[in-house]
Amino acid sequence: MKNNQLFPFERNRYYAGKLLTSADFEAEQLYMNNKRRFLNRILFGSGIVCGLSVVNVDDLSILMESGVAIDETGREIVVESTVIRRLSSVEGFGALKGDQAGLYIRYKEEDVHTVYCGDIGSDGKEYESNRIDEGYELYLKDIEELPLSEEEDERLILRENFMDNPDYAVSVSMPCTAAKGQAVKLVVCVRKKSDEAKDLYFHARLQLPAFTNPAGGHELEIELRDIAMAKGRRLTKEYWLRCDSTEAEETDILCNKEDIRFRVGGYEIEANGGIHFKVKLSDRPLYQIAAGEAGRASLDAEMKSRAEDGVCIAVLQLLRTEASCLISSIREEGVRRYIMTPGKSGQRQLLMSYFADDDRRMQVPEPELCRTGKSVEAVDTPAFMTSGRLEIPLDVNMKKGDICVSEEIMHGLGKGNVYVEVGIEYIEENPYDRKNRRNVIYGNPALFDTYECMQVETAVRVLNDKGSFQVAARLLGEQKSIVLQLSWVAFKFQRGKDADELQDEEERFITPEMPTVRLRAKESYYFNVSFNNMEPCRLSYELTEPESGEIGADGLYTAPVKEGVYEIYIYCTDMPKISTYAYAVVGR
């Protein structure tokens, strides 16, 4: 049955006195089957529902477990029990020529239960089959490359080719729509097309106006060295980018011809040209983008027939000898396409619960160590507060008025404006349970009539640029110990700016990486910007003169037809005072 036989859906209409023939009952069955298969195809797609794992029993035989699959027309393929087959008995074995064969399963109907019907059978037949057995059959087919378990839909994934020659094909792909402020994956795929033993070197530099790489830049360096693969094999490399929170609704991914290099078998190959494709940008959540893009396809696109009517369940690596063809290995991973049925959602959720969904679950905090060897005490405090203890060794013969200074201590709050308060520790004996208790006095200890506490005056110097501090203590009374024990608490200011920050703010500026570029008419260029003494931030772009070309919110400039020198004004959106200029020289 082909896909176009599903439509139109016609039900049998019953009425009083209607003469029912075999054609009417066939129409009844056809309607129910087509409706069910249509829902299978639209709601679940094609692939493996469960089971159908394949292993080799020996070098010449395979074993297939029981299971269920749905083909491209929505027909159910059911294998009720384990099957063992000799490879040479599988259809298509004699036609195999390569060393890789795809093992497929497809739906097959067979007429069974022959009965005698005399001369009233169709076409004058005396015997007719009383039943139709819905079974399956296995077949083998040569494949040049491993099939993907999840094929990329061109309506969802953009794909551009860097090169496609007789030896290698190199492409780049990413989603058609990216979510602003979210991470997105860009994939580079290399496929070997020939049997020639040639290695590949590939280098390209992509310009990403609305995306940033992990280092915060708007360019992505792609380099693949010493790639050597067998025919039909694939190699993929993933790069994670972050989409900027820009006002633009779409952006461009650029790679100029001069930024692409190929070397195959030690010989340089000139690129045919650069690549340039557009990606839509959306403010919607990721699940809304995925649901919207996946559901955008028309019914014609969803029901578009494919060349293969079977379901691939494994790929066999064959070892050919003069006398026979042996099974070297069987590959399932990355080949089989599974259907995510609602009935197995509980099992999937149980399995996913054993994996961390956030890298922070794997982080184990380590105590900050200060110079004296004492660790910061673990306290349940927010990130802008830390505390700890320190000891300052005292000279044996210290006198009143002498000063001692601690070593440099890391407070753990990083650089910036931090306030540190220091208290004096002392041990006091409890008269009720005769146990010693540790107390701390912050401020002037002379205000408390406490004999055990050493009378000292303290001061703190905070080193904002290092994230540390030092404590100085002056002896105000009798020295009662050779070690001064102190407790400290540090607070990080969340608002306000210290003098160093204000000075840094004055030194912040941006500069274009290419202040002046030469372009041809209607040629595009992305003005990348370097951030000095500041974190990368959102930028805005303006043209200072009318009819001087076009520039998008993502910084992609398109030169006008008219020759001349044109000025582009670039500034930080939230800090307009931080700005710069770039120039485009447009000629022929």
Side-chain angles (χ1 to χ4, degrees), residues 286-556:
L286 286 174
Y287 72 92
Q288 290 187 6
I289 294 177
E293 294 297 324
R296 194 183 301 275
S298 65
L299 179 60
D300 290 338
E302 288 290 349
M303 299 303 296
K304 184 179 179 181
S305 61
R306 304 186 183 183
E308 193 61 57
D309 61 349
V311 177
C312 183
I313 57 177
V315 170
L316 311 182
Q317 189 70 33
L318 305 178
L319 181 62
R320 293 185 175 274
T321 65
E322 295 182 359
S324 62
C325 180
L326 307 179
I327 302 172
S328 174
S329 62
I330 297 179
R331 176 175 175 177
E332 292 183 342
E333 184 178 358
V335 174
R336 298 155 64 92
R337 182 193 306 154
Y338 287 98
I339 296 176
M340 306 290 284
T341 59
K344 292 186 177 296
S345 61
Q347 298 177 14
R348 292 194 297 269
Q349 292 175 4
L350 175 62
L351 180 60
M352 290 300 296
S353 67
Y354 281 81
F355 297 93
D357 58 356
D358 194 332
D359 291 339
R360 289 175 295 180
R361 296 189 181 185
M362 301 300 296
Q363 296 177 357
V364 180
E366 298 181 358
E368 295 282 347
L369 298 180
C370 57
R371 293 291 184 88
T372 60
K374 298 291 183 179
S375 62
V376 179
E377 293 182 349
V379 291
D380 187 12
T381 58
F384 55 85
M385 174 182 171
T386 56
S387 63
R389 300 173 59 204
L390 65 95
E391 296 178 350
I392 303 178
L394 304 178
D395 294 336
V396 178
N397 298 319
M398 283 191 67
K399 299 179 181 179
K400 183 178 180 180
D402 289 347
I403 299 175
C404 57
V405 181
S406 73
E407 295 183 358
E408 189 175 328
I409 301 167
M410 305 300 294
H411 51 63
L413 296 177
K415 299 179 181 180
N417 198 8
V418 175
Y419 173 77
V420 180
E421 179 69 23
V422 176
I424 304 168
E425 289 188 358
Y426 68 96
I427 304 299
E428 181 181 26
E429 182 179 343
N430 191 331
Y432 299 101
D433 53 14
R434 297 293 180 179
K435 293 182 180 180
N436 294 332
R437 294 182 178 180
R438 177 178 296 167
N439 299 330
V440 181
I441 295 179
Y442 292 92
N444 188 359
L447 300 180
F448 292 92
D449 186 14
T450 304
Y451 174 79
E452 294 84 355
C453 182
M454 190 180 303
Q455 302 296 315
V456 295
E457 179 184 11
T458 60
V460 180
R461 179 173 67 174
V462 180
L463 307 175
N464 289 336
D465 59 337
K466 293 184 178 181
S468 60
F469 68 95
Q470 283 184 296
V471 178
R474 176 186 294 166
L475 189 61
L476 301 179
E478 178 185 357
Q479 179 183 352
K480 300 179 179 180
S481 175
I482 61 173
V483 176
L484 179 61
Q485 296 184 344
L486 304 174
S487 292
W488 58 267
V489 180
F491 299 89
K492 181 72 175 285
F493 290 97
Q494 300 300 301
R495 296 182 179 179
K497 301 176 181 178
D498 54 22
D500 292 339
E501 289 179 322
L502 292 174
Q503 182 179 359
D504 290 342
E505 191 174 81
E506 295 176 357
E507 296 176 354
R508 296 175 183 173
F509 61 96
I510 58 175
T511 54
E513 293 186 359
M514 290 290 292
T516 303
V517 296
R518 295 184 176 274
L519 302 174
R520 293 186 295 270
K522 294 300 181 180
E523 188 176 0
S524 298
Y525 183 83
Y526 169 64
F527 285 98
N528 201 10
V529 173
S530 298
F531 296 87
N532 302 275
N533 298 326
M534 60 184 299
E535 295 293 329
C537 63
R538 183 178 171 186
L539 297 173
S540 296
Y541 303 83
E542 294 180 2
L543 300 176
T544 59
E545 299 179 2
E547 299 181 358
S548 56
E550 298 178 357
I551 190 162
D554 56 2
L556 184 67

Side-chain angles (χ1 to χ4, degrees), residues 10-188:
E10 292 183 352
R11 294 200 314 271
N12 198 357
R13 181 178 178 273
Y14 298 100
Y15 55 89
K18 180 176 181 177
L19 176 63
L20 296 177
T21 65
S22 60
D24 295 301
F25 290 106
E26 288 177 357
E28 186 78 11
Q29 286 187 341
L30 185 64
Y31 172 78
M32 300 302 296
N33 286 335
N34 285 357
K35 211 50 176 306
R36 186 187 71 255
R37 292 165 179 171
F38 171 75
L39 292 176
N40 286 343
R41 179 69 182 89
I42 291 296
L43 297 180
F44 302 114
S46 63
I48 299 171
V49 178
C50 65
L52 302 182
S53 294
V54 180
V55 296
N56 53 324
V57 179
D58 51 39
D59 294 339
L60 301 174
S61 304
I62 60 173
L63 179 148
M64 180 182 65
E65 294 181 349
S66 61
V68 178
I70 296 177
D71 68 8
E72 289 291 343
T73 60
R75 296 175 297 187
E76 305 91 347
I77 305 172
V78 180
V79 179
E80 65 275 8
S81 59
T82 300
V83 175
I84 298 179
R85 292 281 179 86
R86 197 170 183 84
L87 192 63
S88 57
S89 67
V90 180
E91 180 184 341
F93 174 81
L96 294 179
K97 298 179 180 180
D99 57 359
Q100 282 193 137
L103 178 63
Y104 292 80
I105 187 171
R106 64 186 168 199
Y107 177 85
K108 180 183 179 181
E109 292 184 353
E110 183 180 0
D111 295 339
V112 294
H113 297 177
T114 303
V115 295
Y116 177 75
C117 58
D119 57 355
I120 61 174
S122 58
D123 299 329
K125 295 180 180 179
E126 290 188 64
Y127 294 90
E128 289 282 0
S129 297
N130 198 36
R131 298 284 188 272
I132 297 176
D133 180 62
E134 295 184 339
Y136 65 91
E137 66 177 345
L138 298 175
Y139 67 97
L140 294 165
K141 190 179 80 168
D142 272 315
I143 58 173
E144 294 186 356
E145 59 183 82
L146 294 181
L148 293 176
S149 59
E150 293 294 338
E151 297 182 6
E152 294 181 351
D153 194 325
E154 61 183 8
R155 294 169 289 121
L156 307 177
I157 305 297
L158 291 170
R159 177 181 290 273
E160 292 288 331
N161 289 326
F162 281 110
M163 71 171 291
D164 191 356
N165 70 358
D167 295 303
Y168 285 94
V170 182
S171 62
V172 59
S173 60
M174 68 181 303
C176 297
T177 304
K180 297 179 182 179
Q182 300 292 328
V184 63
K185 182 173 67 175
L186 182 143
V187 179
V188 176

